[in-house]
């Protein structure tokens, strides 16, 4: 019988809309600067060089509707509204043409970012972990199966803070499409069911403060909400 020094952490999971089922999460990948206008606002010239990625841990997950404390160590806390891919089949060196066969479903996501820490790390040539991978930084709506909505190629993606629209774009503006992302990432990892991929954010990212309420939606996929609480 296996004995642990400490009890194992609960399995991270995301609810499935309209179901009692949960989607168990293994890994979270995030695509950087995948909308041209957002790349420009961050000071970069967008082109179709190979996509790049960073990671969050499943321990960062928090569900839509939550109130989270303003994060530790930051004075510049940003929202990033994103389409999230949930894999349902193994994907290893898959082609773009076959990549969607590996996608189980989709959700709305918020890639919450300690922007000051991210920029400081970037300027020093260090990894982005302090800016991206922290508690409550991976916000998710319920997942919706692709069997119910298909594979969205276009549709409005928007975010508001306290009712004021801050981000408003279309999924067709993605530099790298969903099948291209899955196919590319599968050249470097044995992707598996339980892997989530945040696909990047449109322009209009910006800071939030304690008391702010974030709401977002993606046509045909769902809605998401987050309230920013006081720092701990």
């Amino acid at each position: 019988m296996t004995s642990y020094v400490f009890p194992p952490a609960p399995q991270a999971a995301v609810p499935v809309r309209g179901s009692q089922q949960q989607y168990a999460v293994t890994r979270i990948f995030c695509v950087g600067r995948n909308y041209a206008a957002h790349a420009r606002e961050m000071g970069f010239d967008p082109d179709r060089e190979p996509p790049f990625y960073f990671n969050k841990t499943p321990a960062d997950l928090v569900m839509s509707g939550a109130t989270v404390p303003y994060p530790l160590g930051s004075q510049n806390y940003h929202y990033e509204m994103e389409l999230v891919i949930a894999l349902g089949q193994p994907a290893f060196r898959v082609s773009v043409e076959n990549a969607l066969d590996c996608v189980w479903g989709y959700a709305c996501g918020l890639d919450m970012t300690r922007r000051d820490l991210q920029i400081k790390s970037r300027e020093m040539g260090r990894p982005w972990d302090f800016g991206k991978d922290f508690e409550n930084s991976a916000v998710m709506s319920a997942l919706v199966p692709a069997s119910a909505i298909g594979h969205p190629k276009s549709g409005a993606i928007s975010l508001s803070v306290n009712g004021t629209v801050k981000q408003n774009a279309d999924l067709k503006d993605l530099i790298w499409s969903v099948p291209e992302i899955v196919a590319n990432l599968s050249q470097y990892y044995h992707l598996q069911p339980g892997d989530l991929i945040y696909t990047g954010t449109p322009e209009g990212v910006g800071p939030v403060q304690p008391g702010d309420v974030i709401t977002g939606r993606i046509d045909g996929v769902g809605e998401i909400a987050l309230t920013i609480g006081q720092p701990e």
Side-chain angles (χ1 to χ4, degrees):
M1 182 175 178
T2 301
S3 176
Y4 296 98
V5 175
F6 301 104
Q11 170 65 57
V14 178
V16 176
R17 192 168 74 197
S19 169
Q20 296 300 311
Q21 292 184 310
Q22 298 271 319
Y23 178 94
V25 177
T26 306
R27 294 180 291 187
I28 303 172
F29 300 93
C30 304
V31 185
R33 296 195 295 265
N34 200 25
Y35 286 81
H38 173 58
R40 293 189 188 98
E41 76 176 349
M42 295 302 292
F44 295 88
D45 181 23
D47 55 35
R48 280 178 61 88
E49 65 181 9
F52 71 94
Y53 307 91
F54 56 91
N55 295 84
K56 294 176 182 278
T57 66
D60 298 337
L61 278 172
V62 64
M63 293 302 103
S64 175
T67 297
V68 301
Y70 195 93
L72 299 169
S74 180
Q75 302 298 319
N76 195 18
Y77 182 40
H78 279 212
Y79 54 79
E80 296 190 6
M81 179 71 189
E82 311 202 5
L83 174 71
V84 182
I85 304 164
L87 295 186
Q89 293 186 32
F92 178 58
R93 295 177 179 167
V94 298
S95 66
V96 173
E97 293 73 23
N98 294 327
L100 289 181
D101 294 338
C102 304
V103 176
W104 184 86
Y106 298 91
C108 300
L110 295 174
D111 167 18
M112 301 303 292
T113 301
R114 296 190 287 203
R115 188 72 72 201
D116 45 355
L117 302 188
Q118 180 200 14
I119 291 173
K120 183 177 180 180
S121 296
R122 188 180 73 194
E123 290 174 345
M124 298 177 72
R126 294 176 178 174
W128 290 3
D129 297 53
F130 263 21
K132 289 291 191 178
D133 182 3
F134 59 96
E135 294 146 348
N136 303 316
S137 65
V139 188
M140 287 276 293
S141 72
L143 280 161
V144 57
S147 60
I149 64 168
H151 297 282
K153 299 178 181 177
S154 63
I157 174 171
S158 62
L159 178 144
S160 298
V161 178
N162 302 327
T164 300
V165 176
K166 299 292 186 178
Q167 293 184 282
N168 189 19
D170 196 287
L171 295 178
K172 70 177 186 293
D173 298 329
L174 283 164
I175 297 173
W176 293 94
S177 68
V178 168
E180 289 173 328
I181 291 168
V182 174
N184 178 266
L185 194 56
S186 77
Q187 308 306 309
Y188 302 93
Y189 293 89
H190 290 78
L191 299 176
Q192 299 290 335
D195 289 339
L196 300 176
I197 308 173
Y198 281 59
T199 60
T201 194
E203 67 177 318
V205 300
V208 285
Q209 302 296 329
D212 286 345
V213 177
I214 300 170
T215 55
R217 70 182 311 273
I218 300 175
D219 283 353
V221 176
E223 299 180 348
I224 195 166
L226 185 72
T227 300
I228 311 304
Q230 295 296 321
E232 295 178 319

